[in-house]
């Protein structure tokens, strides 16, 4: 009986020591949390989360000031990744901040544009080119679809157009098994 | 929409399982010839139970029933359960064991292909722990007629001395405890030329079936060879060290469930390792542990426990033995 | 001729069905009423269209300029009139549209002036350019530009010519080798010259004895060191990596070029096209396509690029019970979403499928980890592990298990007793991973640009503040000098402190701004060209029509005069662009 107890105690000690060693030895010294969160956020920089950009939101999450379900462009998948990273429960996107939409890019109707440069200033990623009193246009590959340029335009010439699928961006679908009735 | 390839080999799970059942028949035939037809009764009971249990669980899980029964995998499990049990266990032991194997071991983990443990071996271990005496009453080869066997299976009274002789492994073990030498023990009635009298033939039957599986490429050589080789090597090492205390490797290969295990149990693909090197490690591990349990453990037959122990290691083994990929050098190059 | 062959692991034996279409000589497909020539010839590059509707083109005339690294030129396959340049579905599993030039043939088949050229008379780069301009791409299926493959050609020892043609039913390369062996070998010699190779190996599966004999006969007549090697028939021996392994023992991992290992591989059709591009000066405007499967008259046809599959199929007369059409072979092809798609350079076969020849797959069962797939996999992968990761969308793990080494040969799906559509899972996982990579790249770019913009704004603010401070100091000094002078701005109190000075400045600026605003025209329309002014007037009219009066936009407008423009940098209030929190001002939900 005593031997058994001693053995158990010895095993517990050894295992404890091993675990302790492992936690020191294999400690993850990766990026700080904010960077990791920021890497998950979609970088649309739209501010729908209530923060002026993805990084501030990441900071807020890291500080525990914001919840993980406030970013509509990131959508469910983004929330899932955040939940994974932070070891939290997944929760659906909070309606308060917006809804998930298919990706779109801004298009400026060049006939209507008056060259006011307001949209340039609104664009968080400098995706609009143009100068004062010149026609403005959106550099499509750079546009994140944040819609921030839409409201400031005094002549409402900016529209959001969904990005069409091309042969390059087309994706194979998840294999769904056709369940057919056997005749 | 299912895309290319648009042609498929006429292979199916059903065909694989059917081949396994077919390969078991030489062993079963030898069984009937040497021990008696009682085993057939238990096989029938087990088959019926397996189908019923499978159907029941599928219904409870709300899955279609027909394809699952059609794939014959439940039958294979049931047959293996019976073949590891003494042929005269009461019918209810078989029913409980098969239900356990199908419902708990297979379906609780998600059904075909998902179970981490070999269902037949879990059933065997559970039963030998729960009913140690029933599970160690083996009839001597040719010792009981069919009527007696049937009576016993249906729950007839058991007059222990009359019906059971010890198995070869049992006898060896009790003999050694009684400090007799191996030579002396081996001259006793339960022993034949190689292993247990009569049981040698059954082992030969399984061997034949196993070779059939190998020939049909249902299994690969890795597992049987590694298992038998390790068992023989370990036994050989001990035997060479002390022939008086330990039985010869041939005896170990020919007795107990070694042959059945080598070709039909260790090779279960679902719960076993899958990489070539992994298969060898897995089967060798079973061979080693099985011998150690036989020689030093509390049970005369250790294969079942060995299988379960190695099942636990499968994910690790598979992960560590990923084979080289075309064009890449050996080792981890992501 | 006794050569030690190597083996690749895995592979499967198939029912090859070559006899059906291999017996008939290559025939020319008749001109269809319309040719639809896609400017995109593979998934990676699109040529830049240079013709417009109504233009008359000659056969072989360039209608698309090569664009980008992977681009090649596109040519009119026959003489005729361009009807339109439009979007049309492409021969791609997605069935998505792409830019196409639609040509109505005039039936004359009149060529442009062709200029044959000896590749030895020009330097390597010009020779490669010639191939690019002739639109020569790999005809084995992937349509990879040949000049790119040749481009990195230093230190290449061996050119492998792929005549294995391991997919069932397809016989276009077989027929080509039987009938045009000398063209292939001539092309192979050019390729070998361009890449500086010492030897040429032609690998042909031994189920094509006639092709081997024809090629051997032609090779005997050649001076160049060309060896014709019969290789064992096992699918996928025609896979580029597998063939190279069989012939040379070299294994090329995913993501590396053959050139790095001193070997490069071309299809027999490509070799013939290279020969024509030099010896005849002909661009690539046609190819050989096998029509087989559930048809009355299987065979091989020389088909103009752009011929709609539907009109091609008429030649072979599909039987009534045909339920789909497969482009490519049964192992790696795809079911056509639409029969109007045109033949492109990578199209080697159109199969008509019936339920008896190509039965629909049975419903899949769970994986039983039998390992059949691993034994069949020529890339020596563990397909069931990949399946498991792809199935559970664990893409990181899938990549770790070398998902991208999978060549999508279909062997694993072919042997799987559980009938799992394994390859579909890999295709799905691969395209998801690619999509994610694209997204990450885009997000990284956006992050960078966002951060740079913030930095720029900070800098501008800092610069402005510095200027302001300097100005303030100056004013203060001035004020101190002329103590008795009246205040320049309509400020009541005499500025005593720094603060007062600043306040005075702001007030002065506000005053200036007010004056300016009153003086300024409503919009920044000075120094614009007459045309633009007219346009603006037009826009104004339109805006009026839309009911957008000046007043509507008034709340935004006052900020305008302070924008970077005519006003000087000394204008004190920060312009809205410098607003540190542009987001806060929004009345966003
Ligand atoms: S809502 Fe999402 S995308 Fe928009 S700024 Fe916030 S974190 Fe970035
Ligand atoms: S162009 Fe408009 S929608 Fe696109 S990123 Fe800039 S502000 Fe956002
Ligand atoms: S062949 Fe099919 S059932 Fe067998 S291991 Fe591979 S995926 Fe699983
Ligand atoms: S499709 Fe990919 S995983 Fe399957 S056998 Fe071919 S290479 Fe291997």
């Amino acid at each position: 009986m005593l031997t058994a107890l001693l053995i158990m105690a010895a095993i517990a000690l050894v295992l404890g020591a091993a675990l302790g060693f492992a936690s020191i030895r294999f400690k993850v010294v990766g990026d700080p949390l904010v960077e990791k969160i920021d890497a998950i956020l979609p970088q649309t920089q739209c501010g729908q989360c209530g923060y002026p950009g993805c990084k501030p939101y990441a900071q807020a999450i890291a500080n525990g000031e914001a919840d993980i379900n406030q970013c509509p462009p990131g959508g469910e998948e983004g929330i899932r990744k955040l939940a994974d990273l932070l070891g939290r429960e997944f929760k659906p996107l909070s309606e308060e901040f917006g809804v998930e939409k298919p990706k779109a890019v801004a298009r400026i109707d060049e006939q209507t544009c008056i060259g006011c440069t307001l949209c340039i200033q609104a664009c968080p990623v400098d995706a609009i080119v143009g100068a004062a009193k010149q026609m403005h246009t959106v550099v499509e590959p750079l546009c994140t679809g944040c819609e921030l340029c839409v409201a400031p335009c005094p002549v409402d010439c900016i529209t959001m157009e969904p990005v069409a699928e091309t042969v390059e961006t087309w994706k194979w679908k998840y294999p769904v098994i056709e369940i057919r009735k056997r005749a | 929409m299912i895309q290319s390839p648009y042609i498929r080999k006429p292979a199916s799970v059903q065909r694989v399982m059917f081949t396994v059942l077919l390969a078991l028949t030489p062993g079963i035939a030898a069984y009937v010839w040497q021990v008696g037809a009682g085993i057939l009764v238990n096989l029938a009971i087990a088959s019926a139970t397996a189908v019923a249990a499978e159907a029941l669980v599928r219904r409870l899980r709300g899955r279609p029933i027909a394809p699952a029964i059609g794939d014959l995998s439940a039958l294979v499990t049931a047959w293996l359960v019976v073949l590891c049990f003494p042929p005269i266990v009461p019918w209810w032991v078989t029913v409980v064991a098969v239900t356990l194997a199908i419902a708990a071991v297979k379906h609780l983990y998600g059904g075909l292909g998902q179970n981490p443990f070999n269902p037949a071996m879990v059933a065997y271990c559970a039963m030998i722990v729960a009913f140690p005496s029933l599970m160690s009453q083996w009839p001597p080869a040719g010792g009981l007629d069919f009527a007696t066997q049937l009576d016993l299976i249906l729950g007839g009274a058991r007059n222990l001395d009359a019906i059971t002789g010890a198995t070869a492994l049992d006898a060896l073990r009790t003999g050694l405890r009684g400090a007799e030498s191996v030579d002396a023990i081996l001259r006793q009635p339960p022993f034949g030329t190689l292993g247990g009298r009569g049981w040698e033939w059954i082992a030969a039957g399984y061997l034949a079936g196993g070779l059939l599986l190998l020939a049909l490429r249902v299994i690969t050589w890795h597992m049987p060879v590694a298992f038998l080789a390790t068992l023989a090597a370990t036994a050989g090492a001990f035997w060479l060290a002390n022939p008086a205390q330990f039985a010869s490797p041939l005896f170990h290969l020919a007795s107990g469930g070694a042959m059945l295990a080598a070709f039909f149990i260790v090779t279960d693909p679902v719960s076993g390792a899958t990489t070539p090197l992994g298969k060898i490690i897995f089967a060798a591990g079973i061979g080693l542990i099985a011998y150690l349990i036989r020689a030093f453990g509390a049970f005369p037959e250790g294969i079942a426990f060995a299988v379960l122990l190695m099942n636990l290691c499968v994910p690790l083994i598979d992960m560590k033995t990923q084979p080289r990929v075309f064009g890449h050098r050996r080792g981890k190059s992501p | 001729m006794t050569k030690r062959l190597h083996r690749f692991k895995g592979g499967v034996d198939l029912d090859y069905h070559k006899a059906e279409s291999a017996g008939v000589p290559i025939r020319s497909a008749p001109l269809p009423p319309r040719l639809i020539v896609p400017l995109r010839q593979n998934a990676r590059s699109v040529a830049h269209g240079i013709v417009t509707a109504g233009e008359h083109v000659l056969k072989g005339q360039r209608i698309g300029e090569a664009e980008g690294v992977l681009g090649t030129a596109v040519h009119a396959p026959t003489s005729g009139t361009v009807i339109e340049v439009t979007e049309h579905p492409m021969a791609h599993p997605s069935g998505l549209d792409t830019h196409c030039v639609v040509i109505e043939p005039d039936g004359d088949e009149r060529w442009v002036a062709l200029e044959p050229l000896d590749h030895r008379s020009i330097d390597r780069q010009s020779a490669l350019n010639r191939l690019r301009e002739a639109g020569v791409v790999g005809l084995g299926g992937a349509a990879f530009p040949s000049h790119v493959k040749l481009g990195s050609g230093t230190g290449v020892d061996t050119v492998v010519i792929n005549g294995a043609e391991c997919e069932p039913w397809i016989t276009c390369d077989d027929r080509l080798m039987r009938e045009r062996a000398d063209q292939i070998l001539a092309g192979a010699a050019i390729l070998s010259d361009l890449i500086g190779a010492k030897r040429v190996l032609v690998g042909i599966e031994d189920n094509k004895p006639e092709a081997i004999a024809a090629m051997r006969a032609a090779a005997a007549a050649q001076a160049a060191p060309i060896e014709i090697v019969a290789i064992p028939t096992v699918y996928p021996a025609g896979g580029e990596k597998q063939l190279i392994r069989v012939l040379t023992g070299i294994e090329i991992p995913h993501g590396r070029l053959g050139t790095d290992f001193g070997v490069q591989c071309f299809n027999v059709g490509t070799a013939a096209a290279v020969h024509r591009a030099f010896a005849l000066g002909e661009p690539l405007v046609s190819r050989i396509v096998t029509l087989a499967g559930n048809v009355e008259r299987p065979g091989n046809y020389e088909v103009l690029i752009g011929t709609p599959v539907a009109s091609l199929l008429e030649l072979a007369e599909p039987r009534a019970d045909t339920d789909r059409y497969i482009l490519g072979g049964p192992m790696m092809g795809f079911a056509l979403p639409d029969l109007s798609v045109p033949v492109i350079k990578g199209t080697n076969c159109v199969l008509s499928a019936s339920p008896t020849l190509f039965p629909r797959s049975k419903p899949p069962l769970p994986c039983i980890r039998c390992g059949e797939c691993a034994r069949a996999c020529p890339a020596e992968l563990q397909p069931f592990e990949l399946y498991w990761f792809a199935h559970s969308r664990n893409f990181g793990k899938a990549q770790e298990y070398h998902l991208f080494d999978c060549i999508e040969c279909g062997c694993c799906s072919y042997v799987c007793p559980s009938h799992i559509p394994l390859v579909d899972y890999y295709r799905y996982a691969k395209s998801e991973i690619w999509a994610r990579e694209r997204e990450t790249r885009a997000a990284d770019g956006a992050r960078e640009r966002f951060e740079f913009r913030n930095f720029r704004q900070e800098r501008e603010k800092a610069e402005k503040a510095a200027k302001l401070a300097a100005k303030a100091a100056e004013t203060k000094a001035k004020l101190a000098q002329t103590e008795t002078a009246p205040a320049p701005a309509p400020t009541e109190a005499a500025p005593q402190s720094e603060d007062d000075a600043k306040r005075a400045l702001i007030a002065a600026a506000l005053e200036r701004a007010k004056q300016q605003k009153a003086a300024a025209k409503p919009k920044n329309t000075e120094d614009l060209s007459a045309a633009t002014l007219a346009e603006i007037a037009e826009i104004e009219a339109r805006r009026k029509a839309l009911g957008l009066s000046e007043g509507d936009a008034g709340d935004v407008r006052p900020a305008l005069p302070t924008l970077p423009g005519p006003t000087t940098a000394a204008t004190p209030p920060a312009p809205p662009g410098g607003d540190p929190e542009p987001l806060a001002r929004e009345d966003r939900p």
Side-chain angles (χ1 to χ4, degrees):
Chain A
M1 186 63 195
L2 190 64
T3 355
L5 273 180
L6 280 178
I7 291 177
M8 292 303 261
I11 291 179
L13 265 181
V14 170
L15 285 182
L19 278 179
F21 173 73
S23 72
I24 296 166
R25 173 75 176 67
F26 300 112
K27 191 165 182 178
V28 208
V29 276
D31 326 89
L33 191 56
V34 180
E35 297 287 325
K36 279 196 195 154
I37 299 175
D38 194 39
I40 293 174
L41 296 176
Q43 307 301 325
T44 306
Q45 316 291 7
C46 61
Q48 291 183 72
C49 51
Y51 294 86
C54 300
K55 191 70 165 278
Y57 177 46
Q59 186 70 56
I61 296 180
N63 296 348
E65 290 158 12
D67 211 337
I68 55 171
N69 60 348
Q70 303 186 355
C71 170
E76 291 234 338
E77 203 187 323
I79 301 174
R80 238 174 253 287
K81 284 194 199 151
L82 285 175
D84 269 357
L85 175 72
L86 303 168
R88 298 217 206 137
E89 276 293 300
F90 167 80
K91 46 175 87 170
L93 181 68
S94 166
E95 294 276 318
E96 189 187 324
F97 297 93
V99 286
E100 204 175 338
K101 280 186 258 184
K103 176 157 179 339
V105 290
R107 169 151 311 153
I108 295 179
D109 177 0
E110 298 180 357
Q111 290 308 304
T112 322
C113 173
I114 54 168
C116 69
T117 75
L118 283 176
C119 55
I120 296 196
Q121 293 156 36
C123 179
V125 292
D126 293 338
I128 305 179
V129 289
K133 298 170 277 170
Q134 305 289 313
M135 237 42 91
H136 287 31
T137 179
V138 175
V139 186
E140 242 176 66
L142 299 181
C143 173
T144 63
C146 69
E147 303 187 8
L148 288 182
C149 52
V150 177
C153 178
V155 290
D156 286 340
C157 70
I158 307 183
T159 45
M160 298 304 294
E161 301 201 346
V163 184
E165 207 173 30
T166 67
V167 177
E168 270 121 354
T169 60
W170 177 80
K171 295 194 284 188
W172 286 92
K173 304 292 168 297
Y174 192 78
V176 190
I177 312 312
E178 309 156 75
I179 299 175
R180 288 171 305 132
K181 293 240 160 59
R182 290 262 179 84
Chain B
M1 188 64 179
I2 294 198
Q3 300 286 342
S4 62
Y6 295 99
I7 43 177
R8 277 166 187 280
K9 198 173 166 174
S12 65
V13 174
Q14 184 182 14
R15 206 180 271 229
V16 172
M17 296 297 169
F18 182 76
T19 320
V20 174
L21 293 181
L22 195 72
L24 278 170
T25 47
I28 295 176
Y31 213 123
V32 173
W33 167 45
Q34 287 294 329
V35 181
I39 190 76
L40 296 181
V41 180
N42 258 332
L43 278 175
I45 295 173
S47 309
T49 316
V51 172
E54 181 83 36
L56 185 71
V57 180
R58 304 280 302 187
R59 156 144 313 167
L60 288 180
R61 294 176 67 200
R63 303 284 169 86
I65 295 172
I69 306 263
D71 72 23
L72 300 180
S73 65
L75 277 190
V76 171
T77 306
W79 284 27
L80 290 177
V81 168
V82 170
L83 293 178
C84 327
F85 282 18
I88 51 167
V89 284
W91 62 271
W92 52 268
V93 173
T94 313
V95 170
V96 171
V98 172
T99 315
L100 181 79
I102 302 272
V105 185
K106 187 166 144 196
H107 277 290
L108 275 193
Y109 284 102
L112 177 68
Q114 316 283 315
N115 45 301
F117 295 107
N118 186 320
M121 291 301 100
V122 173
Y124 178 88
C125 292
M127 291 300 122
I128 204 164
V129 170
F131 311 105
S133 73
L134 280 178
M135 287 293 289
S136 42
Q137 291 165 2
W138 292 79
L144 292 179
D145 58 16
F146 179 66
T148 328
Q149 288 188 2
L150 191 62
D151 178 50
L152 287 170
I153 290 169
L154 296 180
R158 293 177 170 247
N159 176 355
L160 287 191
D161 291 342
I163 55 170
T164 62
T167 65
L169 284 170
D170 257 333
L172 179 69
R173 155 183 218 88
T174 15
L176 288 173
R177 293 265 153 87
E180 290 171 75
S181 83
V182 171
D183 274 348
I185 302 169
L186 287 186
R187 262 176 264 116
Q188 291 172 355
F191 297 94
T193 350
L194 289 175
R197 187 158 49 82
W199 298 96
E200 306 157 327
W201 285 107
I202 301 173
Y206 291 142
L207 177 63
L211 293 179
L212 176 72
L213 287 187
L214 271 178
L216 293 177
R217 294 172 52 103
V218 172
I219 58 176
T220 56
W221 59 269
H222 307 81
M223 293 222 199
V225 169
F227 170 76
L228 294 175
T230 318
L231 185 62
T234 331
F238 280 97
W239 177 64
L240 284 178
N242 187 352
Q245 272 294 312
F246 298 100
S248 78
L250 268 183
F251 169 81
H252 275 286
L253 289 187
S255 46
M259 284 298 161
L260 179 66
F263 293 101
F264 296 94
I265 289 171
V266 175
T267 51
D268 168 39
V270 173
S271 56
T274 47
T275 62
L277 180 61
K279 282 178 180 173
I280 293 179
I281 297 177
F282 174 78
I286 296 177
L288 180 68
I289 300 176
Y291 178 80
L292 294 180
I293 296 181
R294 274 184 182 183
F296 306 104
F299 295 94
E301 179 56 294
I303 293 176
F305 292 97
V307 169
L308 295 189
L309 277 176
M310 290 310 290
N311 281 164
L312 278 177
C313 309
V314 162
L316 186 69
I317 297 178
D318 270 351
M319 203 172 82
K320 292 290 171 200
T321 57
Q322 281 300 312
R324 189 197 72 109
V325 170
F326 183 94
H328 293 261
R329 242 165 274 131
R330 190 167 285 286
K332 277 235 153 198
S333 59
Chain C
M1 288 276 169
T2 47
K3 188 173 158 40
R4 212 177 73 75
L5 291 180
H6 303 260
R7 290 213 47 224
F8 63 91
K9 287 209 182 119
V12 288
D13 281 326
L14 301 171
D15 225 348
Y16 286 95
H17 290 284
K18 298 277 194 189
E20 283 91 330
S21 53
V24 200
I26 300 171
R27 287 162 285 186
S28 272
L31 270 180
R34 286 240 161 131
L35 286 162
I36 305 155
V37 189
L39 289 170
R40 176 194 290 282
Q41 294 280 345
N42 62 28
R44 281 164 293 204
S45 65
V46 196
H48 170 65
I50 51 170
V51 286
T52 46
E55 219 170 293
H56 187 266
V57 290
L58 292 176
K59 181 166 182 158
Q61 180 181 335
R62 201 153 8 110
I63 56 175
E65 297 262 20
E67 216 167 58
V69 193
L70 293 176
T72 49
V74 177
H75 304 82
T78 184
S79 56
T81 318
V82 175
I83 299 182
E84 52 180 345
V85 180
T86 177
E87 297 285 307
H88 190 87
M90 185 190 168
H92 185 267
S94 66
L96 285 173
D97 287 357
T98 190
H99 266 316
C100 296
V101 177
V102 184
I103 296 174
E104 190 173 64
D106 57 13
D108 294 346
E109 290 270 58
R110 204 139 44 80
W111 278 94
V112 285
L114 299 176
E115 300 161 26
L117 187 69
D118 188 347
H119 68 279
R120 278 160 297 197
S121 65
I122 49 176
D123 65 41
R124 201 178 109 81
Q125 203 49 53
S126 334
L128 296 190
N129 233 358
R130 170 105 191 182
L131 290 180
R132 181 173 191 218
E133 290 308 316
V136 179
V137 297
L139 296 185
F144 192 79
S146 302
H147 70 275
V148 179
K149 255 191 175 179
L150 287 166
S152 54
T154 43
V156 172
D157 164 72
T158 309
V159 166
V160 168
I161 300 294
N162 189 345
E165 194 165 63
C166 57
E167 272 248 25
W169 295 97
I170 307 182
T171 55
C172 58
D173 290 351
D174 184 3
R175 278 313 316 183
L176 188 78
M177 287 187 286
R178 291 195 209 182
E179 296 178 29
R180 303 182 192 164
D182 42 351
Q183 287 191 15
I184 297 171
L185 294 183
I190 299 176
L191 285 168
S192 146
D193 276 355
L194 286 180
I195 212 164
K198 293 184 200 66
R199 57 173 184 163
V200 178
L201 296 177
V202 185
I204 307 171
E205 274 192 345
D206 56 14
N207 62 355
K208 294 182 261 297
E210 296 92 343
I212 297 176
M215 292 287 280
R216 289 219 163 117
Q222 287 254 343
I226 293 181
E227 202 177 324
I228 313 293
V229 189
I231 59 169
T233 301
V234 48
Y235 180 85
E240 189 171 303
K241 295 176 179 188
Q242 279 64 37
L243 184 66
I244 291 177
R245 160 99 190 133
V246 168
L247 289 177
T248 65
I250 297 169
E251 288 190 6
I252 299 165
H254 166 74
R256 299 285 298 276
L257 296 171
T259 337
D260 300 347
F261 297 85
V263 53
Q264 197 55 282
C265 178
F266 297 90
N267 175 268
V268 282
T270 317
V274 167
H275 163 74
R276 290 168 88 118
F278 282 105
L280 310 174
E282 274 181 22
L284 183 54
V285 292
S286 67
R287 67 154 298 142
I288 304 190
V289 178
T290 304
L291 299 180
N294 189 36
V295 293
E296 292 297 341
R297 302 174 53 212
N300 286 286
Y301 289 88
E302 172 112 37
V303 181
L304 296 179
I305 306 297
T307 307
V309 166
S311 57
L312 196 55
L313 275 168
E314 284 165 16
L315 302 174
E317 297 165 25
R319 299 206 183 99
D321 58 342
T322 299
D323 61 345
R324 16 176 208 172
Y325 295 93
I326 297 168
L327 205 71
M331 293 298 281
M332 295 180 74
F334 57 89
L336 276 177
D338 180 349
L339 280 190
S340 72
V341 303
V343 165
I344 55 175
K345 291 177 186 172
T347 309
N348 49 10
C349 177
V350 182
L351 279 180
S352 128
S354 68
T356 36
L357 277 180
F358 302 102
R360 298 268 179 175
S361 163
K362 296 198 198 80
L365 290 171
C367 166
I368 54 169
R369 293 168 41 99
C370 65
E372 276 298 322
C373 48
R375 261 165 278 159
C377 177
E380 299 169 44
L381 298 164
Q382 300 282 304
F384 56 92
E385 303 269 14
L386 291 178
Y387 155 69
W388 180 248
F389 295 133
H391 177 79
S392 55
R393 298 181 168 85
N394 189 346
F395 300 125
K397 264 289 194 226
Q399 264 175 295
E400 217 173 277
Y401 278 71
H402 303 284
L403 171 67
F404 283 98
D405 279 279
C406 165
I407 56 170
E408 296 178 24
C409 65
C411 291
C412 49
S413 296
Y414 176 77
V415 297
C416 176
S418 284
H419 310 294
I420 303 174
L422 294 163
V423 191
D424 286 359
Y425 281 96
Y426 310 147
R427 293 192 185 109
Y428 158 75
K430 284 182 182 178
S431 63
E432 276 303 317
I433 293 172
W434 282 323
R436 262 153 230 232
E437 273 168 10
R438 275 196 302 273
E439 267 164 34
T440 319
R441 260 201 308 277
D444 286 347
R447 181 185 300 117
E448 231 163 72
R449 299 180 70 81
F450 179 63
E451 274 164 12
F452 174 70
R453 174 176 173 271
N454 285 349
F455 163 75
R456 195 189 63 221
Q457 285 177 350
E458 286 301 314
R459 192 188 57 199
E460 275 166 10
K461 229 173 21 189
E463 277 168 4
K464 221 160 264 163
K467 264 188 202 144
L468 269 182
K471 193 114 190 178
E474 204 179 289
T475 323
K476 209 170 133 203
K478 234 187 261 166
L479 281 174
Q481 265 175 18
T482 59
E483 232 170 303
T484 46
T491 325
E492 241 71 51
Q496 294 297 320
S497 63
E498 249 178 62
D499 279 358
D500 287 341
K502 221 183 253 169
R503 218 175 288 137
L505 264 177
I506 294 173
L510 268 178
E511 188 58 29
R512 242 190 344 262
K514 241 184 248 161
Q515 279 164 17
Q516 224 168 32
K517 194 183 165 198
K521 285 188 219 156
K523 275 169 230 73
N524 297 324
T525 44
E526 315 93 327
D527 47 71
L528 283 186
S529 71
T532 324
L533 280 172
E535 203 165 80
I536 290 174
E538 202 184 299
I539 291 166
E540 268 309 298
R542 231 177 305 148
R543 291 180 66 233
K544 285 233 176 65
L546 288 169
L548 282 168
S549 71
E550 285 291 317
D552 279 353
D555 46 345
V556 197
R557 201 140 301 274
L560 274 180
T562 61
L563 291 179
T567 38
T568 61
T571 318
D579 185 349
E581 285 213 339
L583 308 163
R585 66 173 187 244
E586 288 300 343
D587 47 334
R588 198 164 292 107

